[in-house]
Amino acid sequence: MSRIARLRARVTRQRQPRRTPPWLRLLRALRIWRPNAQADRLLPILESAALPGLALYLGWRANPQDPLGLHGGFPWVWFGPWLAAVRYGAGYGLFGVVLYGGMWAQFFAPSRAAFPGEFFLGGALVSLILGEFGSAYKVQSLRHREIQEDLTARLERTKRRLFIVKESLATLEQELTDRPMTLRDALIGLRRALVLARAPAPAPAIGDKADIDALPDPASFLQLLSQACRLIEAGIFVRKSGAERWVLVARLGQNLPKLDPAHPLIEHVLETREVAHIAQAGLSNPQYNQWVFAAPLRQDLFDEVDAVLAVHTMPFMAFDDINLRRLQVLASSYADFTQLELLVEDVRAVWPESPIGMQQEWAHLAALHEASGLRSYCALWMGQARLSEDVLDEFAGLQPPESSWWRLQTHKGHLVLAVLLPIIGGASLTAYRREMIDALETILARQDQPKQTIGVDFYPVRHAADYAELRKRITQI
C-alpha cells in the first residue's frame, strides 16, 4: 500500500464515529485497557456476543425452565440482539438470533418440542429493522459531524486571520526594532518551509524515523519559532507507537528535561488538546517549573495528542500576551498545514504549479466526500473577452462567506476566477449561478465595460481526476 493510501485510510478511520461503552471508558481510565485498531475491530464482535449472552443469562436466572421467555408475556430476551443491531448493524443483531437458535436446539429439541417459528421470525425481523435504523442514524450522524468539524476548522482559520490583521495593525516602531520578524513574515516562512519539506527528509540524529513521518521538518519549525517568538530552549516530542514513552524529535537548546506526561502543564495539554502556559490558573505551581508553554501538534487515530511542542526557556520580556498568542497561532497553523498536507500529494501531482491553498482545500473537500459522501463543487468563472483584475476582485468579494477563491491566469493571458463551494447541493448551486451571473453583469455595467457573455463551469470535487479536468479546462481557455 502506498503512503498516500495509508494516509487516506488513517484519515477515513479518524472520521468514523466512535462511541466507546462506559465500561470500556472505565477500563481505559484505570489503564487496564488501551484502544488500538485491532481492539476496535474486535469490540463489535465481543459486544454483539456479550449482550445476547447476558440477556439469556438473566432470563435463565429469572425462569430456569423457560430462559428464552417463550411462554412469557413479552420476549425480554430479544433486547440483547436488538441493542447489538441498533449499535453495530443488522448483521450483528442476527448473531444473537443464531445464538438463541443454537440454545433452543441444544436444550429443547431433544424433548421434541415444536419449533417456535413465530418467536424467532419476529425477533429476526425486528433485529433487521432496528439494524437498518441504526445504520441510517450512524450515516446521518457522521454527515452532521463532518459538517460541524469543517465549519469549526474554517472558523478557527478565520479567527487566526483576524488576529494576524489586528497584530499587524498594532505593531509599533519599537517592536519592529526589537522583533526579528512580524507574524505575517513568520507564517509565510512557515508555509514555504512546510511546502519544501514535503519531500522525504533524512532522519535526524535524535528520535526514530517512524515517529516523525507525519511531522514535516520539525527542526526548521523550531528555528522559525526561535526567530519569531524569541524562544531559547524548546523541543518537539512524539509519543512512540504502542507505548507511553515520549521521544524527542527536534530540539532548540541543549538542556531539555525529559517530557513527563504527569507534569500539570503537559497533562493539561494532553487532556484538553489546547495550548497552555504557566500564567494560566492552576498551572503555576512553583514545584513544577520545567516547562513554561506547551501546545499540541498532532492527534492519533483515537483523538489523543501524540506530538507536543514544549517550551523550557524564553526571555521574561517575551512572555507577554501578544507573543503567547503568536506562539499559539504558529503552532495551530503548523498542525493544520500538516494535516492538510497528508492528503494533498495526489492532487499536487496532477497540477503542481497551482496555488498551495487551492491544492489543500481541494484535497480536504475530496476527503470529506470520500468519507461521508458530502458533495462540493468548483465554479470556474470566465468571460467571452478579457476580465480585468478590478472586476474579478470585486466579484470575488461577493462570493459566499464559506467559499474560497483564487484568481488564475490561463496560458493565453486571460484571467479566470476559481471558487470552491463546500458542501452544496443542486438547488443551491442553481441559485448561486443565477445570482452570481447577475452580480457580474452589474459590475461590468457599473465600470462601463462592454457587455459580454459570462461563462461558468462547475466541477465536482471528488478526487484528483477532477482536479486534472479543471487544469485541462484552464489550459484550453
Side-chain angles (χ1 to χ4, degrees), residues 75-77 100 118 212 220 236 262 291 319 342 411 418 431:
W76 298 101
V77 74
Y100 290 167
E118 292 186 4
I212 60 172
S220 297
I236 294 180
W291 307 106
F319 201 82
L342 291 177
H411 287 230

Side-chain angles (χ1 to χ4, degrees), residues 353-368:
E353 62 272 13
S354 59
I356 298 171
M358 185 176 178
Q359 297 171 7
Q360 294 177 338
E361 188 71 13
W362 189 289
H364 169 67
L365 295 177
L368 198 63

Side-chain angles (χ1 to χ4, degrees), residues 108-185:
F108 292 92
S111 63
R112 298 181 180 179
F115 180 73
E118 292 186 4
F119 177 82
F120 282 98
L121 179 61
L125 289 178
V126 175
S127 297
L128 290 174
I129 294 173
L130 292 177
E132 290 300 320
F133 272 104
S135 299
Y137 172 77
K138 286 192 289 186
V139 170
Q140 292 298 324
S141 176
L142 176 61
R143 287 173 176 262
H144 288 301
R145 179 179 300 183
E146 294 290 348
I147 294 175
Q148 181 181 1
E149 290 180 355
D150 180 72
L151 294 178
T152 302
R154 293 177 184 276
L155 178 62
E156 289 296 328
R157 289 197 293 267
T158 303
K159 289 168 60 179
R160 286 197 296 271
R161 290 168 185 165
L162 290 176
F163 171 71
I164 295 169
V165 174
K166 177 183 177 181
E167 196 270 348
S168 299
L169 292 176
T171 301
L172 303 176
E173 183 178 358
Q174 181 179 1
E175 282 189 320
L176 292 176
T177 57
D178 178 62
R179 201 177 303 277
M181 63 172 64
T182 63
L183 180 58
R184 179 177 180 274
D185 295 334

Side-chain angles (χ1 to χ4, degrees), residues 9-172:
R10 174 184 177 184
V11 173
T12 302
R13 288 195 299 270
Q14 281 181 323
R15 296 181 181 275
Q16 298 302 319
R18 295 181 298 273
R19 291 179 286 180
T20 306
W23 59 277
L24 283 183
R25 288 200 296 266
L26 177 61
L27 294 180
R28 182 178 177 180
L30 297 175
R31 298 185 182 274
I32 299 176
W33 173 82
R34 181 170 181 81
N36 52 52
Q38 185 177 4
D40 279 357
R41 289 192 296 267
L42 293 177
L43 178 60
I45 300 175
L46 295 176
E47 195 165 347
S48 61
L51 288 174
L54 178 61
L56 188 61
Y57 172 75
L58 294 177
W60 176 77
R61 295 288 296 179
N63 187 1
Q65 303 301 324
D66 187 17
L68 292 176
L70 297 174
H71 306 292
F74 184 82
W76 298 101
V77 74
W78 284 115
F79 269 89
W82 291 347
L83 289 176
V86 171
R87 184 169 176 81
Y88 296 112
Y92 293 96
L94 292 179
F95 181 82
V97 179
V98 175
L99 176 63
Y100 290 167
M103 294 298 296
W104 182 90
Q106 180 69 26
F107 295 101
F108 292 92
S111 63
R112 298 181 180 179
F115 180 73
E118 292 186 4
F119 177 82
F120 282 98
L121 179 61
L125 289 178
V126 175
S127 297
L128 290 174
I129 294 173
L130 292 177
E132 290 300 320
F133 272 104
S135 299
Y137 172 77
K138 286 192 289 186
V139 170
Q140 292 298 324
S141 176
L142 176 61
R143 287 173 176 262
H144 288 301
R145 179 179 300 183
E146 294 290 348
I147 294 175
Q148 181 181 1
E149 290 180 355
D150 180 72
L151 294 178
T152 302
R154 293 177 184 276
L155 178 62
E156 289 296 328
R157 289 197 293 267
T158 303
K159 289 168 60 179
R160 286 197 296 271
R161 290 168 185 165
L162 290 176
F163 171 71
I164 295 169
V165 174
K166 177 183 177 181
E167 196 270 348
S168 299
L169 292 176
T171 301
L172 303 176

Side-chain angles (χ1 to χ4, degrees), residues 403-471:
S403 65
S404 304
W405 58 269
W406 292 267
R407 191 175 63 233
L408 307 175
Q409 188 172 11
T410 66
H411 287 230
K412 298 180 181 179
H414 290 209
L415 292 177
V416 295
L417 189 71
V419 183
L420 281 177
L421 303 168
I423 313 175
I424 188 171
S428 301
L429 208 60
T430 303
Y432 165 81
R433 181 180 183 276
R434 182 176 59 253
E435 295 175 1
M436 290 298 105
I437 287 180
D438 294 340
L440 186 53
E441 291 177 348
T442 302
I443 295 174
L444 292 175
R446 186 169 60 251
Q447 296 192 8
D448 296 329
Q449 295 197 14
K451 188 176 181 180
Q452 57 177 295
T453 302
I454 305 300
V456 57
D457 295 334
F458 290 101
Y459 296 87
V461 182
R462 298 169 300 186
H463 37 63
D466 295 330
Y467 201 60
E469 288 295 325
L470 177 64
R471 179 192 183 186

